[in-house]
Amino acid sequence: MVAAKEYKVIGTRPIRHDGTDKVTGRAQYGADIHLTGMLFGRVKRSPHAHAIIKKIDASKALALPGVKAVITNADFPRPPEGVGVTDEGPPQPWRFQVQNFLAENKALYRGHAVAAVAATDVHIAEDALALIDVEYEVLPPVLDVREAMSDNAPILHDDLFTKDSAPLADAPAKASNIAAHTQIKRGDVEKGFAEADIVLEREFTTTMYHQGYIEPHNGTAYWGRDGHLTVWNSSQAPFVFRNTLSSVLQIPAQKVTVIPLEIGGGFGGKLYMYLEPLAALLSKQTGKPVKMTMTREEVFESTGPTSGTYVRVKVGAKNDGTLTAMEAYMAYEAGAFPGSPVGGGMNGIVAPYNTPNVLVDGYDVVLNKPKTAAYRAPGTPAGEFPGDAVINEIADMIGMDQIEIRLKNAVKEGDERPWGGNWGPIGVVECLEAMKNSPHYKSELQGENRGRSVALGYWGNAGLETSSSASVNADGSVNLVLGSVDIGGSRPALAMQLAETLGITAEEVWPRIVDTDSVGFNFFTAGSRTAFAGGWAAYELGMEIRKQMVARAARIWECKEDEVTYSDDGVIHGPKDSEGKDRQLTFKELSGQLNRTGGIIDVSVNINKSSVGPSFAGHIADVEVDRDTGKVQVTRYTATQDVGTAIHPSYVEGQIQGGVAQGIGMALTEEYHYGADGRMQNSTYLDYRMPTALDLPMIETILVEVPNPGHPYGVRGVGEVCIVPPLGAVQGAIAEAIGVRFTDLPIQPQDIIDALYDE
Amino acid sequence: MVAAKEYKVIGTRPIRHDGTDKVTGRAQYGADIHLTGMLFGRVKRSPHAHAIIKKIDASKALALPGVKAVITNADFPRPPEGVGVTDEGPPQPWRFQVQNFLAENKALYRGHAVAAVAATDVHIAEDALALIDVEYEVLPPVLDVREAMSDNAPILHDDLFTKDSAPLADAPAKASNIAAHTQIKRGDVEKGFAEADIVLEREFTTTMYHQGYIEPHNGTAYWGRDGHLTVWNSSQAPFVFRNTLSSVLQIPAQKVTVIPLEIGGGFGGKLYMYLEPLAALLSKQTGKPVKMTMTREEVFESTGPTSGTYVRVKVGAKNDGTLTAMEAYMAYEAGAFPGSPVGGGMNGIVAPYNTPNVLVDGYDVVLNKPKTAAYRAPGTPAGEFPGDAVINEIADMIGMDQIEIRLKNAVKEGDERPWGGNWGPIGVVECLEAMKNSPHYKSELQGENRGRSVALGYWGNAGLETSSSASVNADGSVNLVLGSVDIGGSRPALAMQLAETLGITAEEVWPRIVDTDSVGFNFFTAGSRTAFAGGWAAYELGMEIRKQMVARAARIWECKEDEVTYSDDGVIHGPKDSEGKDRQLTFKELSGQLNRTGGIIDVSVNINKSSVGPSFAGHIADVEVDRDTGKVQVTRYTATQDVGTAIHPSYVEGQIQGGVAQGIGMALTEEYHYGADGRMQNSTYLDYRMPTALDLPMIETILVEVPNPGHPYGVRGVGEVCIVPPLGAVQGAIAEAIGVRFTDLPIQPQDIIDALYDE
């Protein structure tokens, strides 16, 4: 670890505040909600990937004893005047959002929700689903992103027109599956390719990948007769959910309360709502609380994985490794409704390198699969992998070390970013140097069929709004009120930053995540923003508490406030007393005197900073390929990452290890298998194969600390960039091991066997 | 209603925010808590009023399948060094508190908790109680306050010595049932009696009265293996409960979270804990959440009613009605442990009148009944009733109107209070004038056996600590975060004060009561402090939001902040624009621009004000006595009260009507019947007879508004003083009707019959 500023609490490894609850089962998740008089809801889903819904008849279901209500899309309030389909540009998200909650006229993917039922128990609700008659006119589905873009493809939305972002404006004025086309452009790629000694062009694909959280989606809603809706759920964005529910159900925001429970994994997938609006409407109809949870099959078939992608990349380089041009064409599956993370891939492929000439075209494409969702550094793993693959291939062609070629082209502070603006202090070179100097990279590979490669990843991170408050208890403990849910250790990370500021211990701070009524607006827990923005809030809360503590001490000592100092160890010093003795109070001592000096201290702040520090990560993978079975074993893995300041190193390491595991899954084992009818063939965790602890080596981590100057404690987001490099590193290592450069992920044993023997 | 300052929101009658939930059953009370894996606890109670506990054997109970734990007093942690019994003065409350949770060596009243059990269902827990063998040595109980003070009374606590407050210091150094003796003294009563034309001395008693809330006490506790205790309950004081649990269970405050549910009535009785510490210990032993609720019998026999009392009062007056001296001796039952509200009675009897010579002695006495609790204006009804009775008798003797004698002696702003300090603006004279001018007092009584009388009540009200926060939503609605539970309409009362300050509507403010982690310390909801202190907090939150809104508008208009004004109707005005047009934004419009001008507004405050306005109330009662059955019918009742500013007049009127109903119950029907063995004979709502709507006339209210200058909106507490006058007014009206001046309350039909025919 590169040494950073000395802190007392930051950089230590206290037990997380929610740790014991989570390992002993006391933590309350969405499934732990039980309300008096509760009903249970289930969803009727389309068995077809593409079909017109001609009729829905719920009369038989409603006649089943115990069934209390059935809803369809028609039960959603219609959009207010001026919202919805317009003649110019794309339809508003409002309509698409509601159509994904419950299909309107067409079912657009297998598993698309068509109706929902509430009953007195879950078994009756399940039985009722079979009694809802839906008459379909089945249409041919389109399941591949390139086919969906072709002229003769089945069209999902009659009123969707390609939206070009400026400066492009030459889109055809006819309905299309292409929802948007965006571009990054710098210099002149044709000139760049002309200057190159080597020009390499390759095509790549990745499949859809699911985030693979353990806890299925859940939501319980209770719509009061005064119109106040309360929702309990496990999500990454209670305030955003509140606003969305307010919008689609047409209730004022202060009449919606979202109460977040613990979340059993999200990784971006729990930024999206599926059940809550249905539970809300069922509750409105029945006057009872309605609880809904998904099965695993529903999670796979009906929630958002990340995009399947097609990427064509062309890179020009001189013989000394200098990159002269990079051109990429990226087509990302959005699923049934617009909105893929193609932008993440577009930024990712160009970010790490000072390529003078750049042209990236990105396409957002709808097709008959579930609407994609965010998944850890959304869109970037699939977009950056092709860049790593091509650069590693060029390095091998010119006989240059794979780290050296990256060092030669690496971006540094002050360099221009391909999409505008300049880089601040970033740790690309520091990560590459840490890789070079690592025991792993210095070690020699032993044995046959073994290979080693590297990759370099980027993620921009996010700032956005965070509100938080804190109060000092009479015993010197401090309550910290948070509005962002904890998906990866944010409770300790934020409590530690407040403790550092106050000069007390992490254990003396009790972080509490509250509902949307109880603290100001907080944007989602995503974009690696929580430790950054929440930490900044904790710092400002701490500084305000220090200021008020100084005022209290001045009152006790009957001196001026500027005669009192608050030292970083949490001791408040005053002027010497009449006998010449030092006057001082510890934080705890002064806390005990707050009541008699005007009351306890209770402060709140709102933070909205854009000075996020981007993250870079460099990974090294060793693999061994079994030529008999095609199995690829990752034998050693080292992840370096510029983490800004590691607030709680164990959780930073844990984030990195988790991201690597998921990235390796994308490279080797995870895959949505679709039949030609658009039905997923492997919607269980037995068949959708995520790496387990037995499949992975111990992931070694090297924390590089280049503090973000845009944060009081130098924090950069750490949770996302770590999922980016594994795809390129593993694919590259397989190439080194057996000489086959695969272009389609995942690389399954059958692919290895096919490549080694059948071609 | 006397006209007060003009407001837009204050003084209107919006529907309360929690109203629909409470009438439709959606509101969540303690009994609505269901946790995964929950156990159920029950309490084994003493069948004896006074007994030494020789042995507790739980082995048979523990052998019953489904029983998970049994606890006794020995399971409480022992007090830390230096806390507990001391040689000087009384033992610390710590020990008494724990001994009331579970008896230590002696059971001190019938129903005293002796052991508690947790089992997988409540029926098994119930069965297990019978299997816990407790060996008692039964002692004679003492059940009357005067007997308990006598030399040969059974002594409850061997180590309790009478504590005299300064300036008294002549207490005997031997164990006693008298826990404390306090005094109010002004002038020289002997001189005052010598100056009087009439001296009247009378003795009075009142029985114990229960608050009669509908919802029994309940508490669910979950003690995590990390030592963090979470408690769900219905109480009036979540933060105080947190601190008490922290103290008696020896856990740091930040490791205890109390989550308040709605409360189905409290009236002071839910300021005390009974079940929560037991549920906590049972949860600690079992590792599971444990839920406990009381039966009605347990509520009566084992929770705190108000004190039975004995009061002797002697008043001297001149023939023109001028009071010259008042002497009172007050002995209040504390129940089994020290701490009666005798102080409330002592203040109450002397407060309303400018009596130059005053001597009040109060005694706090333990005896073999449940520990008393607060009950609406604690101690004052029983203490002020004797004063009213004697003054009414004097008025009748000298042929003076009962209101005029009070006007002659009434305290006014600037007068000295008997216990020191001076009265601020108070509404005694205004209430008396309102009574005189009321249609009720001007009407003539018709028919025989009818009488009318009046009484005057005082309650001091409380300030104390309140923390609160508020945030502005993008749609212009405002969330208001409260830490005080709502027992009588505080949600609308506080939301309205914030709305008034901001110039928005009450409905646009959403008040939310949160747990002890989620806002700073709030003292109890009691002492009529919530509308006062919470309202002050709401005002300061509003003023801070106004200030920040002005700054945002200045940023939008690119002008100085002092060029922007926030008008009371919630419109923000700026300087004219370059075309000379007025610039203005509504609160809602500006709220929508907060995000782009730096983020939403989220503010918090802590209030700790002592400038409470005391409350006075004057009541008029008409009764008709049925000479055949002894039944007393209250035929008309008018309550005037100085309410400061009536924030929500309907809830002020409701508070007054509720207080009157309870006071009439004390006067006529409510009573704890004890057998000689110390067993309560009437522990059901059939036999403990509270007045119902059928027993009462419509209570007429006259709101007198003398704004409290110590509050931005002139608020005085309104909830308590209204219970004080009914006792004296009803007793006096009976005296006028049948010529019998009863001195012992309640005045039951049999007492009327006895008085009319047997004497």
Side-chain angles (χ1 to χ4, degrees):
Chain A
M1 193 193 302
V2 175
K5 191 175 159 190
E6 279 299 313
Y7 294 112
K8 289 184 178 64
V9 178
I10 289 172
T12 65
R13 299 171 189 249
I15 292 174
R16 62 195 289 170
H17 300 79
D18 50 331
T20 309
D21 276 2
K22 282 182 174 165
V23 298
T24 59
R26 182 171 178 260
Q28 299 287 305
Y29 293 82
D32 292 313
I33 286 294
H34 309 281
L35 299 172
T36 304
M38 195 160 76
L39 302 177
F40 297 84
R42 293 286 289 133
V43 179
K44 171 92 174 175
R45 298 185 180 279
S46 170
H48 310 295
H50 197 187
I52 294 167
I53 298 168
K54 306 197 76 168
K55 207 176 87 183
I56 303 176
D57 179 358
S59 55
K60 275 185 260 169
L62 285 164
L64 183 68
V67 172
K68 299 297 180 188
V70 175
I71 57 164
T72 67
N73 178 285
D75 291 290
F76 275 96
R78 295 300 98 184
E81 202 67 39
V83 175
V85 183
T86 60
D87 289 339
E88 304 159 21
Q92 300 294 318
W94 196 95
R95 199 193 97 204
F96 285 145
Q97 208 153 18
V98 173
Q99 284 181 343
N100 202 28
F101 294 147
L102 282 173
E104 192 169 0
N105 303 312
K106 278 175 98 179
L108 293 168
Y109 54 96
R110 187 190 143 92
H112 194 167
V114 169
V117 59
T120 48
D121 73 47
V122 74
H123 309 293
I124 294 173
E126 194 83 49
D127 290 346
L129 294 184
L131 299 176
I132 300 173
D133 289 325
V134 185
E135 193 181 318
Y136 294 100
E137 178 186 330
V138 180
L139 302 174
V142 59
L143 299 163
D144 175 84
V145 66
R146 279 165 293 179
E147 286 172 22
M149 295 170 83
S150 72
D151 280 344
N152 54 354
I155 296 294
L156 273 73
H157 303 277
D158 292 339
D159 49 4
L160 179 65
F161 301 87
T162 305
K163 189 198 167 198
D164 276 337
S165 68
L168 302 166
D170 56 351
K174 68 161 201 163
S176 158
N177 291 325
I178 303 173
H181 170 208
T182 49
Q183 201 174 68
I184 297 174
K185 190 172 181 196
R186 174 163 78 181
D188 176 347
V189 284
E190 290 313 321
K191 181 169 154 279
F193 290 128
E195 289 166 8
D197 297 319
I198 305 167
V199 175
L200 201 65
E201 184 169 7
R202 295 281 181 264
E203 288 179 288
F204 299 89
T205 67
T206 61
T207 174
M208 286 159 69
Y209 302 113
H210 200 275
Q211 299 86 349
Y213 31 81
I214 295 171
E215 178 201 37
H217 291 259
N218 58 77
T220 301
Y222 200 171
W223 192 314
R225 295 190 193 175
D226 57 355
H228 195 106
L229 172 64
T230 304
V231 168
W232 294 257
N233 70 353
S234 304
S235 89
Q236 294 176 240
F239 285 87
V240 177
F241 279 31
R242 180 197 64 175
N243 290 356
T244 302
L245 287 166
S246 161
S247 160
V248 300
L249 298 173
Q250 297 177 28
I251 322 171
Q254 91 275 21
K255 292 215 151 205
V256 183
T257 304
V258 175
I259 302 177
L261 285 302
E262 296 295 345
I263 170 168
F267 311 106
K270 288 196 183 138
L271 293 166
Y272 302 82
M273 276 203 293
Y274 302 97
L275 301 174
E276 293 86 341
L278 313 188
L281 287 177
L282 289 167
S283 176
K284 186 180 186 187
Q285 289 205 6
T286 58
K288 302 280 187 182
V290 176
K291 181 177 186 174
M292 300 182 80
T293 51
M294 284 194 185
T295 63
R296 183 64 57 196
E297 187 182 4
E298 286 180 294
V299 172
F300 272 113
E301 297 198 357
S302 309
T303 74
T306 191
S307 305
T309 68
Y310 164 78
V311 176
R312 193 173 63 235
V313 62
K314 184 175 171 185
V315 172
K318 294 194 182 276
N319 280 331
D320 68 354
T322 307
L323 299 177
T324 60
M326 179 180 279
E327 186 179 73
Y329 171 99
M330 299 190 161
Y332 271 51
E333 298 174 4
F337 299 98
S340 75
V342 64
M346 295 167 68
N347 286 357
I349 197 167
V350 296
Y353 310 110
N354 267 322
T355 319
N357 304 293
V358 158
L359 180 65
V360 187
D361 284 280
Y363 294 90
D364 181 43
V365 182
V366 298
L367 76 185
N368 297 113
K369 294 182 178 176
K371 167 75 184 76
T372 57
Y375 179 11
R376 211 167 187 162
T380 313
E384 201 153 344
F385 146 62
D388 277 310
V390 172
I391 287 169
N392 284 338
E393 188 172 352
I394 289 173
D396 290 357
M397 288 167 74
I398 61 175
M400 193 170 185
D401 177 82
Q402 294 179 348
I403 295 178
E404 292 300 338
I405 194 171
R406 287 176 169 81
L407 274 168
K408 186 156 207 95
N409 295 286
V411 288
K412 298 173 200 70
E413 183 174 358
D415 288 346
E416 206 180 327
R417 295 182 306 188
W419 53 82
N422 296 78
W423 295 106
I426 45 173
V428 186
V429 170
E430 288 83 348
C431 283
L432 290 166
E433 294 290 350
M435 289 163 75
K436 258 173 70 178
N437 297 325
S438 67
H440 181 174
Y441 206 69
K442 287 180 173 168
S443 72
E444 278 196 26
L445 272 178
Q446 304 284 342
E448 299 203 339
N449 301 314
R450 288 177 173 243
R452 171 179 299 165
S453 187
V454 304
L456 186 57
Y458 159 79
W459 176 250
N461 295 326
L464 304 168
E465 268 195 284
T466 288
S467 297
S468 189
S469 61
S471 58
V472 181
N473 297 316
D475 65 356
S477 62
V478 177
N479 287 337
L480 174 59
V481 175
L482 305 173
S484 293
V485 300
D486 185 349
I487 59 171
S490 55
R491 284 184 182 89
L494 306 186
M496 288 169 75
Q497 293 181 68
L498 178 55
E500 183 73 44
T501 311
L502 293 176
I504 63 177
T505 67
E507 291 79 6
E508 286 168 317
V509 177
W510 180 249
R512 170 65 180 245
I513 294 158
V514 299
D515 61 55
T516 57
D517 285 349
S518 306
V519 72
F521 184 80
N522 277 261
F523 218 105
F524 51 46
T525 299
S528 295
R529 71 172 214 90
T530 308
F532 168 81
W536 200 320
Y539 168 78
E540 289 206 358
L541 290 169
M543 293 308 287
E544 179 60 28
I545 291 171
R546 284 172 69 134
K547 194 176 131 199
Q548 294 195 25
M549 292 293 260
V550 163
R552 299 304 176 87
R555 191 182 299 190
I556 292 167
W557 292 324
E558 297 177 344
C559 66
K560 289 180 190 160
E561 288 181 24
D562 61 12
E563 295 178 276
V564 179
T565 54
Y566 189 118
S567 69
D568 286 345
D569 58 358
V571 179
I572 298 94
H573 298 274
K576 288 184 194 302
D577 65 15
S578 54
E579 294 172 12
K581 283 190 195 150
D582 284 334
R583 278 193 287 208
Q584 64 176 51
L585 285 165
T586 64
F587 185 85
K588 190 185 180 76
E589 288 164 350
L590 185 52
S591 298
Q593 301 201 36
L594 291 179
N595 184 286
R596 72 170 191 86
T597 58
I600 65 114
I601 293 173
D602 186 9
V603 297
S604 61
V605 295
N606 178 266
I607 296 292
N608 196 359
K609 306 279 184 188
S610 56
S611 56
V612 291
S615 287
F616 287 90
H619 291 192
I620 312 162
D622 289 2
V623 302
E624 180 174 16
V625 179
D626 184 323
R627 284 179 171 263
D628 294 330
T629 63
K631 178 172 164 61
V632 176
Q633 184 72 42
V634 179
T635 53
R636 187 167 183 180
Y637 201 100
T638 298
T640 74
Q641 184 172 321
D642 171 16
V643 298
T645 302
I647 300 296
H648 191 306
S650 297
Y651 298 129
V652 174
E653 291 158 6
Q655 285 286 344
I656 294 173
Q657 290 165 330
V660 169
Q662 291 184 313
I664 290 174
M666 290 175 169
L668 293 178
T669 59
E670 298 184 41
E671 184 166 10
Y672 266 60
H673 286 287
Y674 272 99
D677 60 353
R679 177 176 175 180
M680 186 181 180
Q681 313 277 310
N682 60 330
S683 55
T684 75
Y685 277 151
L686 279 175
D687 299 314
Y688 181 92
R689 185 70 170 82
M690 296 194 297
T692 68
L694 295 176
D695 296 311
L696 297 170
M698 174 67 191
I699 314 290
E700 296 164 52
T701 58
I702 298 176
L703 306 187
V704 177
E705 296 192 287
V706 180
N708 169 16
H711 187 280
Y713 292 121
V715 170
R716 294 175 197 272
V718 301
E720 290 178 282
V721 69
C722 39
I723 198 175
V724 178
L727 290 68
V730 169
Q731 178 262 9
I734 293 171
E736 304 301 328
I738 60 171
V740 182
R741 295 190 188 272
F742 288 95
T743 57
D744 303 308
L745 297 189
I747 306 163
Q748 297 267 22
Q750 188 61 49
D751 302 319
I752 301 275
I753 297 298
D754 287 350
L756 288 176
Y757 306 108
D758 290 0
E759 286 180 32
Chain B
M1 193 194 300
V2 175
K5 193 174 156 190
E6 280 298 314
Y7 295 112
K8 288 183 181 61
V9 178
I10 289 172
T12 65
R13 300 171 187 249
I15 293 174
R16 62 196 288 171
H17 301 78
D18 51 330
T20 309
D21 276 3
K22 283 183 173 164
V23 298
T24 60
R26 182 171 178 258
Q28 300 287 304
Y29 292 82
D32 292 315
I33 286 294
H34 310 280
L35 299 172
T36 304
M38 195 161 76
L39 303 178
F40 297 84
R42 294 285 290 134
V43 178
K44 171 92 172 175
R45 298 185 180 278
S46 170
H48 309 295
H50 197 187
I52 294 166
I53 299 168
K54 306 196 77 165
K55 211 174 85 181
I56 304 176
D57 180 357
S59 55
K60 276 184 260 169
L62 286 164
L64 183 70
V67 171
K68 298 299 179 186
V70 174
I71 57 163
T72 66
N73 178 286
D75 291 289
F76 275 96
R78 295 298 100 185
E81 202 69 38
V83 175
V85 183
T86 60
D87 288 338
E88 303 160 19
Q92 301 294 316
W94 195 96
R95 199 194 96 201
F96 284 144
Q97 208 152 18
V98 173
Q99 285 182 342
N100 201 29
F101 295 146
L102 283 172
E104 191 169 0
N105 303 313
K106 277 173 100 180
L108 293 168
Y109 55 95
R110 187 188 143 91
H112 195 166
V114 169
V117 58
T120 49
D121 74 45
V122 73
H123 309 293
I124 295 173
E126 195 82 47
D127 291 347
L129 295 184
L131 299 175
I132 300 172
D133 290 325
V134 185
E135 192 181 323
Y136 294 101
E137 178 186 331
V138 180
L139 301 174
V142 57
L143 299 165
D144 174 84
V145 65
R146 279 164 292 177
E147 285 172 23
M149 295 171 83
S150 71
D151 280 344
N152 54 353
I155 295 293
L156 272 74
H157 302 279
D158 292 339
D159 48 5
L160 180 66
F161 300 87
T162 304
K163 189 199 169 198
D164 277 335
S165 68
L168 302 165
D170 56 352
K174 71 162 200 159
S176 158
N177 291 327
I178 303 173
H181 170 208
T182 48
Q183 202 172 66
I184 297 174
K185 191 174 180 194
R186 175 163 78 181
D188 177 348
V189 284
E190 291 314 321
K191 181 167 153 284
F193 290 129
E195 290 165 7
D197 297 317
I198 306 167
V199 174
L200 201 64
E201 183 168 10
R202 295 280 180 267
E203 289 179 287
F204 299 88
T205 67
T206 62
T207 174
M208 287 160 68
Y209 301 113
H210 199 275
Q211 300 84 349
Y213 30 81
I214 297 173
E215 179 201 36
H217 292 258
N218 58 77
T220 301
Y222 199 170
W223 192 313
R225 295 192 193 173
D226 58 354
H228 194 105
L229 172 64
T230 303
V231 168
W232 294 258
N233 70 355
S234 304
S235 88
Q236 295 177 238
F239 285 87
V240 177
F241 279 31
R242 180 197 66 178
N243 290 357
T244 302
L245 288 165
S246 160
S247 159
V248 301
L249 299 172
Q250 298 177 26
I251 321 170
Q254 91 275 22
K255 292 214 151 208
V256 183
T257 304
V258 176
I259 302 177
L261 285 303
E262 296 294 344
I263 170 168
F267 311 106
K270 289 198 182 135
L271 293 166
Y272 301 80
M273 275 202 295
Y274 302 97
L275 301 174
E276 293 86 341
L278 314 188
L281 287 176
L282 289 167
S283 177
K284 187 180 186 186
Q285 288 204 5
T286 59
K288 302 280 187 182
V290 176
K291 181 176 185 173
M292 301 182 80
T293 50
M294 285 194 184
T295 63
R296 183 65 55 195
E297 186 181 4
E298 284 179 297
V299 172
F300 272 112
E301 296 197 359
S302 308
T303 72
T306 191
S307 305
T309 68
Y310 165 78
V311 176
R312 193 171 63 237
V313 60
K314 184 176 172 186
V315 172
K318 294 195 182 274
N319 280 331
D320 69 353
T322 307
L323 298 177
T324 59
M326 180 181 280
E327 187 179 73
Y329 171 99
M330 299 189 164
Y332 270 51
E333 297 174 5
F337 299 99
S340 74
V342 65
M346 294 167 68
N347 286 358
I349 197 167
V350 295
Y353 309 111
N354 267 322
T355 319
N357 304 292
V358 159
L359 180 66
V360 186
D361 283 281
Y363 293 89
D364 181 43
V365 182
V366 297
L367 76 186
N368 295 111
K369 295 182 180 177
K371 168 76 184 73
T372 56
Y375 179 10
R376 212 168 186 160
T380 312
E384 201 152 343
F385 147 61
D388 276 310
V390 172
I391 287 170
N392 284 339
E393 187 172 353
I394 289 173
D396 289 357
M397 288 167 73
I398 62 176
M400 194 170 183
D401 178 83
Q402 292 180 351
I403 294 178
E404 292 299 338
I405 194 172
R406 287 176 169 82
L407 273 168
K408 184 155 209 99
N409 295 285
V411 287
K412 300 173 199 70
E413 183 172 356
D415 288 345
E416 206 181 323
R417 295 183 306 188
W419 52 84
N422 295 78
W423 294 104
I426 46 173
V428 186
V429 170
E430 288 82 349
C431 283
L432 291 167
E433 294 289 350
M435 290 164 75
K436 259 174 70 177
N437 296 323
S438 66
H440 181 173
Y441 205 69
K442 286 181 173 169
S443 71
E444 275 194 28
L445 273 179
Q446 304 286 341
E448 297 203 337
N449 301 314
R450 288 177 171 244
R452 171 179 297 164
S453 187
V454 305
L456 187 56
Y458 159 80
W459 176 250
N461 296 325
L464 303 167
E465 270 197 282
T466 289
S467 297
S468 189
S469 62
S471 58
V472 181
N473 297 317
D475 65 356
S477 61
V478 177
N479 287 336
L480 172 61
V481 175
L482 305 173
S484 292
V485 299
D486 185 350
I487 58 170
S490 56
R491 285 183 182 90
L494 306 185
M496 288 169 75
Q497 293 180 68
L498 178 54
E500 182 72 46
T501 311
L502 293 175
I504 62 177
T505 67
E507 291 78 6
E508 287 169 318
V509 177
W510 180 250
R512 173 62 180 244
I513 293 159
V514 300
D515 61 53
T516 57
D517 285 350
S518 306
V519 72
F521 184 80
N522 278 261
F523 217 104
F524 50 46
T525 298
S528 295
R529 73 174 213 86
T530 308
F532 167 83
W536 200 320
Y539 168 78
E540 289 205 359
L541 291 168
M543 293 309 287
E544 179 61 26
I545 290 171
R546 284 172 68 133
K547 194 176 133 200
Q548 295 194 25
M549 292 293 260
V550 163
R552 298 306 176 87
R555 192 181 300 187
I556 291 167
W557 292 324
E558 297 178 342
C559 66
K560 289 180 190 160
E561 288 180 24
D562 60 14
E563 294 179 278
V564 178
T565 53
Y566 190 117
S567 68
D568 286 345
D569 58 358
V571 179
I572 299 95
H573 299 273
K576 287 184 194 303
D577 66 15
S578 54
E579 295 172 13
K581 284 190 196 150
D582 284 333
R583 277 192 288 207
Q584 65 175 50
L585 286 166
T586 63
F587 185 85
K588 190 183 179 76
E589 288 164 351
L590 185 51
S591 298
Q593 300 200 37
L594 292 178
N595 184 285
R596 73 170 190 87
T597 58
I600 65 111
I601 293 174
D602 187 8
V603 298
S604 60
V605 295
N606 180 267
I607 295 292
N608 197 358
K609 305 280 184 187
S610 56
S611 57
V612 291
S615 286
F616 287 89
H619 291 192
I620 311 163
D622 290 358
V623 303
E624 179 176 14
V625 179
D626 184 324
R627 285 182 171 260
D628 294 329
T629 62
K631 178 171 163 57
V632 175
Q633 185 71 43
V634 179
T635 53
R636 187 166 182 180
Y637 201 100
T638 297
T640 75
Q641 184 172 318
D642 172 15
V643 298
T645 301
I647 300 298
H648 192 308
S650 298
Y651 298 131
V652 174
E653 291 157 6
Q655 284 286 343
I656 293 173
Q657 290 164 331
V660 169
Q662 292 183 314
I664 291 173
M666 290 177 169
L668 293 178
T669 59
E670 298 185 41
E671 183 167 9
Y672 267 60
H673 286 286
Y674 272 100
D677 60 353
R679 177 174 175 181
M680 186 181 180
Q681 314 277 309
N682 60 329
S683 55
T684 74
Y685 277 152
L686 280 176
D687 299 314
Y688 181 92
R689 184 71 171 81
M690 295 196 295
T692 69
L694 296 177
D695 296 310
L696 297 171
M698 176 66 192
I699 314 290
E700 297 165 52
T701 57
I702 297 175
L703 307 186
V704 176
E705 297 193 287
V706 179
N708 170 16
H711 187 280
Y713 291 121
V715 170
R716 295 174 196 272
V718 300
E720 289 179 283
V721 69
C722 40
I723 199 176
V724 178
L727 290 68
V730 170
Q731 179 262 6
I734 294 171
E736 303 301 329
I738 58 171
V740 182
R741 295 190 186 273
F742 288 94
T743 55
D744 302 308
L745 298 190
I747 306 164
Q748 298 267 21
Q750 188 62 48
D751 302 318
I752 300 275
I753 298 297
D754 288 349
L756 288 177
Y757 306 110
D758 291 359
E759 284 178 35

